[in-house]
Amino acid sequence: MVAQTIPVDDFDLVIIGGTGDLAKRKILPSLYRRVCAGQMPENARIIAAARSDFSQQDYKDFIRQALEDFVKSKKRNKKKIETFLERLTYIKLDATGIEGWKELSQSLRAGAVHAFYFSVGPSLFAPLAERLMKHKITDENTRIVVEKPFGRDLASAQSLNAVLARCFREDQIFRIDHYLGKETVQNLMALRFANALFEPLWNSQHIDHVQITVSESLGVEGRGAYYDKSGAMRDMMQNHLMQLFCLTAMEPPAVFDAASVRDEKLKVIKALDPILEGDMVRGQYRSDENGDSYQNESGNPASTTESYIALKANLSNWRWVGTPFYLRTGKKLRNRMSEIAIVFKDPPHSIFEDSQDLKGNVLTIRLQPDEGINLSMTIKEPGPGGMRLTEVPLDMSFADALGEDEADMPDAYERLIMDVIRGNQTLFMRGDEVEAAWAWVDPIIKAWEKSGAKPAQYDPGSNGPDDSLMLLHKDGRRWREIT
Ligand code: BG6
């Protein structure tokens, strides 16, 4: 199978925050890989803007090192790296002052698509939008890309949306959630809507429950100061897990376009029941053998911020009423593993003696690592001696099915940045969607802030706090292993 690359229109991409971590680790390496894939027009340019004093040469050296650090060695090619670096321009810019704006405006080419990537702290999103307007740098075709976090509650998301709406049309605003750019997440839509097999079963009549897990093995690392103000609810649940949940639960859109897909996702969020107090568990990792606890790593010894959250979400609509969705995410857990597991109901009646072994099928979509799809099936154990049943996986790892090279998936940012240039918003969040997600999580956060309850402790390298087991046990279910 040969990957198809559809070239995009000529563009000037301005990365505001061009010296930051995201630019270095993700945005520029992704752009380099798109150059290698032949998708970037020859004249397309990248303008990095930031506060630091970098000469053009210093910036190129800085990015050369970033490519060395963050692009796999087999994808690095000296000549291509140099050609890529030639596309870069660095501008010293004061996001809230006057320095650099004139130069930025003069550096943009007429006729090219202009995209501004706000790869900066959230407090600068609104001022940046306003500056772009004030300096008349934008036109009809301008696009802005806004990173997460998009607000920290409903009120702040609404006020950010209001500022952006004063400066841009909704179809110019690209709110990024990098989970939507992951190949396997897009595959979830292909699995559901390009195969006739599953959709008739995709409802509460046949599905017992769904488990969505995004487990990380690393702790908060160097991001303690940011993370401690967010916690797992704001950092992961309100956005990444919510998106996975929406794509799993939504009705088939009539067509695969931005308006239809986002309308369907919004309906899912609006059909969510409020979370009951007993249907949620917050956790925080305690110290490991090196004494590294969450509280140490976050730099806040009295922190009550959660590094783990698990909850049970119920949807009040025809398709899903009675089928709970259990969502969990956490840091410093046993493994890095993300999956969506659709647990089908047990067969209604067994004709076999060995019936205690009859279990419902489980369809698992593995997002990372080892991307693939797995369906657990019950078969007869081989050999004589009666009808003994056993469970086996019908396993499709993308690496096996597509070959190692094809399965070497593009990074989420590669796809998403090219979609910005194309003007395709299907894999970006709409303003009302973000607000609806906050409207659902806000009362939960407020309730626990009011109660002052401390998160349950869990051991680094474990499956999370014991209390989270109870969340499923009380419903007669159990979490899947984090392997
Ligand atoms: C980010 C969160 O959005 O996603 C991080 O801020 C988290 O805390 C990361 O580690 C996980 O992304 P991925 O692609 O590594 O699963």
Side-chain angles (χ1 to χ4, degrees):
M1 216 181 293
V2 180
Q4 282 188 7
T5 304
I6 304 164
V8 296
D9 289 342
D10 191 15
F11 65 86
D12 287 342
L13 171 67
V14 182
I15 306 170
I16 305 181
T19 54
D21 222 41
L22 184 70
K24 198 169 79 175
R25 283 172 186 273
K26 293 287 183 187
I27 305 175
L28 284 143
S30 294
L31 288 163
Y32 164 72
R33 284 189 292 260
R34 286 297 89 201
V35 169
C36 296
Q39 195 170 25
M40 296 244 296
E42 217 162 289
N43 294 324
R45 284 179 332 142
I46 300 156
I47 299 158
R51 263 179 317 191
S52 318
D53 263 321
F54 270 104
S55 69
Q56 298 303 330
Q57 193 52 46
D58 288 345
Y59 189 71
K60 285 182 181 154
D61 292 345
F62 174 71
I63 295 305
R64 189 181 292 103
Q65 185 59 48
L67 299 182
E68 187 74 29
D69 295 341
F70 300 112
V71 176
K72 283 188 193 153
S73 61
K74 69 173 182 183
K75 299 255 161 143
R76 288 198 305 264
N77 170 308
K78 272 211 158 98
K79 215 165 135 202
K80 284 192 178 137
I81 289 183
E82 293 312 313
T83 333
F84 174 72
L85 295 176
E86 277 166 25
R87 295 164 182 265
L88 300 186
T89 308
Y90 182 77
I91 293 181
K92 185 174 180 206
L93 184 85
D94 182 351
T96 51
I98 49 165
E99 187 179 9
W101 288 96
K102 195 163 167 212
E103 202 186 340
L104 177 59
S105 161
Q106 285 166 351
S107 69
L108 298 170
R109 292 167 306 147
V113 171
H114 297 162
F116 295 86
Y117 197 129
F118 295 0
S119 177
V120 289
S123 60
L124 288 178
F125 295 161
L128 276 175
E130 282 165 340
R131 293 268 146 183
L132 285 172
M133 290 302 286
K134 182 170 163 215
H135 293 283
K136 300 196 172 52
I137 295 181
T138 57
D139 64 21
E140 285 279 281
N141 275 323
T142 299
R143 281 139 219 193
I144 58 161
V145 184
V146 187
E147 262 298 331
K148 69 177 272 261
F150 197 95
R152 55 174 286 107
D153 53 21
L154 177 59
S156 53
Q158 280 171 330
S159 77
L160 180 54
N161 270 335
V163 175
L164 298 184
R166 278 203 297 276
C167 305
F168 301 98
R169 297 185 314 269
E170 179 63 29
D171 66 358
Q172 296 179 287
I173 306 169
F174 290 72
R175 297 174 193 79
I176 215 164
D177 182 314
H178 78 281
Y179 264 59
L180 288 176
K182 288 185 190 274
E183 282 287 322
T184 341
V185 175
Q186 295 166 57
N187 237 318
L188 173 61
M189 287 187 274
L191 178 83
R192 286 194 58 195
F193 307 130
N195 296 282
L197 190 62
F198 295 114
E199 207 44 33
L201 307 177
W202 211 263
N203 55 49
S204 57
Q205 235 183 313
H206 301 282
I207 295 177
D208 178 70
H209 72 282
V210 177
Q211 296 188 18
I212 302 181
T213 302
V214 177
S215 147
E216 299 186 271
S217 53
L218 295 178
V220 287
E221 307 294 295
R223 299 166 69 230
Y226 149 77
Y227 191 90
D228 203 47
K229 294 202 187 72
S230 302
M233 185 63 148
R234 291 187 170 101
D235 185 52
M236 297 291 288
M237 186 64 80
Q238 184 271 347
N239 38 77
H240 303 327
L241 276 90
M242 184 67 93
Q243 290 297 323
L244 300 180
F245 167 63
C246 285
L247 295 178
T248 310
M250 72 182 185
E251 294 300 315
V255 282
F256 186 58
D257 67 15
S260 313
V261 170
R262 299 192 300 178
D263 283 350
E264 293 307 334
K265 286 198 291 170
L266 181 62
K267 285 184 208 160
V268 174
I269 306 176
K270 289 198 161 164
L272 272 165
D273 291 348
I275 288 278
L276 304 174
E277 207 185 314
D279 283 348
M280 188 193 59
V281 175
R282 298 167 71 228
Q284 188 187 72
Y285 57 86
R286 53 166 81 93
S287 10
D288 57 14
E289 63 278 11
N290 305 321
D292 292 334
S293 63
Y294 172 81
Q295 293 181 331
N296 283 351
E297 290 183 359
S298 66
N300 178 3
S303 174
T304 54
T305 300
E306 76 289 352
S307 56
Y308 176 97
I309 187 159
L311 52 83
K312 174 178 166 187
N314 287 307
L315 279 169
S316 280
N317 63 20
W318 273 51
R319 187 187 280 259
W320 291 116
V321 73
T323 294
F325 285 69
Y326 299 96
L327 278 58
R328 64 179 162 165
T329 182
K331 294 206 182 277
K332 275 262 170 104
L333 296 175
R334 176 161 295 155
N335 270 310
R336 176 171 189 257
M337 187 275 267
S338 303
E339 64 167 37
I340 300 167
I342 316 290
V343 182
F344 287 90
K345 290 194 167 160
D346 294 344
H349 163 72
S350 175
I351 62 168
F352 306 110
E353 269 178 32
D354 200 8
S355 61
Q356 72 272 28
D357 289 336
L358 270 195
K359 295 203 189 84
N361 306 93
V362 182
L363 175 71
T364 317
I365 297 113
R366 270 199 317 274
L367 308 180
Q368 56 196 27
D370 311 325
E371 292 89 346
I373 294 169
N374 177 304
L375 180 62
S376 75
M377 305 281 292
T378 304
I379 60 161
K380 177 190 167 300
E381 237 180 59
M387 196 65 166
R388 289 189 313 274
L389 302 174
T390 186
E391 224 183 290
V392 289
L394 203 61
D395 205 354
M396 184 183 75
S397 107
F398 291 154
D400 292 344
L402 304 171
E404 285 292 341
D405 276 351
E406 281 299 309
D408 189 8
M409 311 270 180
D411 188 88
Y413 284 88
E414 293 180 49
R415 162 78 198 243
L416 294 175
I417 297 170
M418 292 300 106
D419 278 358
V420 172
I421 307 302
R422 286 195 190 95
N424 182 349
Q425 294 186 303
T426 311
L427 299 176
F428 293 82
M429 294 177 298
R430 206 166 55 193
D432 51 1
E433 208 185 316
V434 182
E435 289 183 13
W438 280 121
W440 188 65
V441 302
D442 257 13
I444 314 175
I445 297 177
K446 288 214 173 86
W448 81 53
E449 279 174 357
K450 196 166 156 209
S451 78
K454 291 192 175 140
Q457 300 278 294
Y458 62 93
D459 287 329
S462 69
N463 283 335
D466 293 342
D467 292 1
S468 77
L469 301 180
M470 283 313 295
L471 189 66
L472 272 75
H473 277 187
K474 64 186 170 85
D475 292 345
R477 302 180 174 111
R478 60 193 313 181
W479 285 112
R480 291 167 50 78
E481 281 295 307
I482 298 183
T483 51

